[in-house]
């Protein structure tokens, strides 16, 4: 206070708020049996305490679990970041796929003589090997003429081996003359 002015006080209230963090999570599409890691990007200082959960995309949200899926399918991944002294809690989600492995296959059959038995040999990394279907056609014939009946007459033939899809591997088809 002075001779010209009276003392006066003014107050103003203000709020210091917590920030809403930015956050994104991703999992690269992968093949059955391959390892993968979820990648969480955020400016939150709660990143180290984030909870990462997974579920099949077709399931409801109450099926989220911290167990990483390993079977073929389309999945959701969710990151839950906790509230901290500086940041609000938040969640983010993404979709990823675990696909079957690509089967590699080859088929061979040795030349034989009329009246002798023969068997094609399939080599594959697929676990569907035991269920392979062998089909035959005369060389030069259209694909529509394949049959599972082994040829027994003189001629040149094509053998086609179809290794079926399994829970781990895609279907594989190969041919040999």
């Amino acid at each position: 206070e002075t001779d010209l002015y009276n003392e006066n006080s003014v107050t103003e209230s203000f709020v210091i708020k917590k920030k809403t963090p930015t956050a994104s999570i991703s999992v690269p599409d992968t093949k059955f049996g391959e390892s993968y890691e979820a990648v969480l990007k955020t400016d939150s200082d709660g990143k180290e305490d984030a909870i990462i959960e997974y579920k099949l995309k077709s399931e409801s949200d109450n099926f989220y679990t911290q167990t990483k899926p390993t079977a073929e399918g389309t999945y959701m991944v969710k990151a839950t970041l906790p509230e901290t002294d500086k940041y609000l809690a938040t969640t983010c989600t993404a979709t990823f796929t675990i696909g079957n492995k690509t089967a590699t296959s080859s088929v061979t059959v040795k030349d034989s003589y009329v009246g002798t038995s023969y068997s094609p040999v399939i080599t594959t990394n697929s676990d569907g090997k035991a269920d392979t279907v062998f089909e035959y056609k005369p060389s030069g014939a259209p694909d529509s003429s394949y049959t599972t009946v082994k040829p027994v007459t003189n001629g040149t033939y094509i053998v086609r081996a179809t290794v079926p899809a399994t829970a781990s591997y895609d279907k594989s088809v190969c041919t040999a003359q």
Side-chain angles (χ1 to χ4, degrees), residues 97-112:
T97 301
I98 298 176
N100 278 345
K101 291 181 184 179
T102 301
T104 56
S105 303
S106 64
V107 62
T108 57
V109 63
K110 292 184 179 185
D111 290 342
S112 65

Side-chain angles (χ1 to χ4, degrees), residues 92-144:
C92 54
T93 62
T95 303
F96 70 101
T97 301
I98 298 176
N100 278 345
K101 291 181 184 179
T102 301
T104 56
S105 303
S106 64
V107 62
T108 57
V109 63
K110 292 184 179 185
D111 290 342
S112 65
Y113 294 98
V114 173
T116 61
S117 67
Y118 62 91
S119 293
V121 176
I122 184 74
T123 304
T124 183
N125 63 341
S126 173
D127 56 1
K129 180 178 181 175
D131 297 320
T132 299
V133 174
F134 296 101
E135 299 171 290
Y136 310 87
K137 73 172 186 168
S139 183
D143 285 352
S144 61

Side-chain angles (χ1 to χ4, degrees), residues 3-177:
D3 291 340
L4 297 175
Y5 295 101
N6 290 328
E7 182 177 324
N8 189 12
S9 87
V10 176
T11 61
E12 178 69 27
S13 65
F14 65 97
V15 176
I16 298 176
K17 297 179 182 179
K18 293 183 180 188
K19 287 179 66 177
T20 300
T22 60
S24 67
I25 190 160
S26 64
V27 173
D29 287 344
T30 189
K31 296 288 186 182
F32 178 85
E34 295 177 353
S35 65
Y36 62 89
E37 294 298 326
V39 177
L40 175 60
K41 295 180 181 180
T42 183
D43 58 353
S44 172
D45 57 357
K47 181 177 181 177
E48 296 303 316
D49 296 320
I51 297 171
I52 310 296
E53 298 175 293
Y54 307 86
K55 73 173 186 82
L56 276 170
K57 185 177 181 181
S58 61
E59 294 176 331
S60 64
D61 286 352
N62 61 331
F63 281 94
Y64 273 110
T65 175
Q66 291 183 29
T67 303
K68 287 170 62 173
T70 58
E72 177 192 15
T74 301
Y75 295 92
M76 296 293 297
V77 60
K78 176 174 78 170
T80 303
L81 289 122
E83 184 171 344
T84 68
D85 291 340
K86 296 179 183 178
Y87 290 89
L88 296 170
T90 194
T91 61
C92 54
T93 62
T95 303
F96 70 101
T97 301
I98 298 176
N100 278 345
K101 291 181 184 179
T102 301
T104 56
S105 303
S106 64
V107 62
T108 57
V109 63
K110 292 184 179 185
D111 290 342
S112 65
Y113 294 98
V114 173
T116 61
S117 67
Y118 62 91
S119 293
V121 176
I122 184 74
T123 304
T124 183
N125 63 341
S126 173
D127 56 1
K129 180 178 181 175
D131 297 320
T132 299
V133 174
F134 296 101
E135 299 171 290
Y136 310 87
K137 73 172 186 168
S139 183
D143 285 352
S144 61
S145 62
Y146 273 113
T147 177
T148 56
V149 177
K150 276 185 174 182
V152 293
T153 59
N154 182 40
T156 302
Y157 298 91
I158 305 290
V159 61
R160 176 171 68 185
T162 303
V163 182
T166 68
S168 307
Y169 287 90
D170 289 331
K171 173 180 154 180
S172 176
V173 178
C174 56
T175 60
Q177 184 168 340

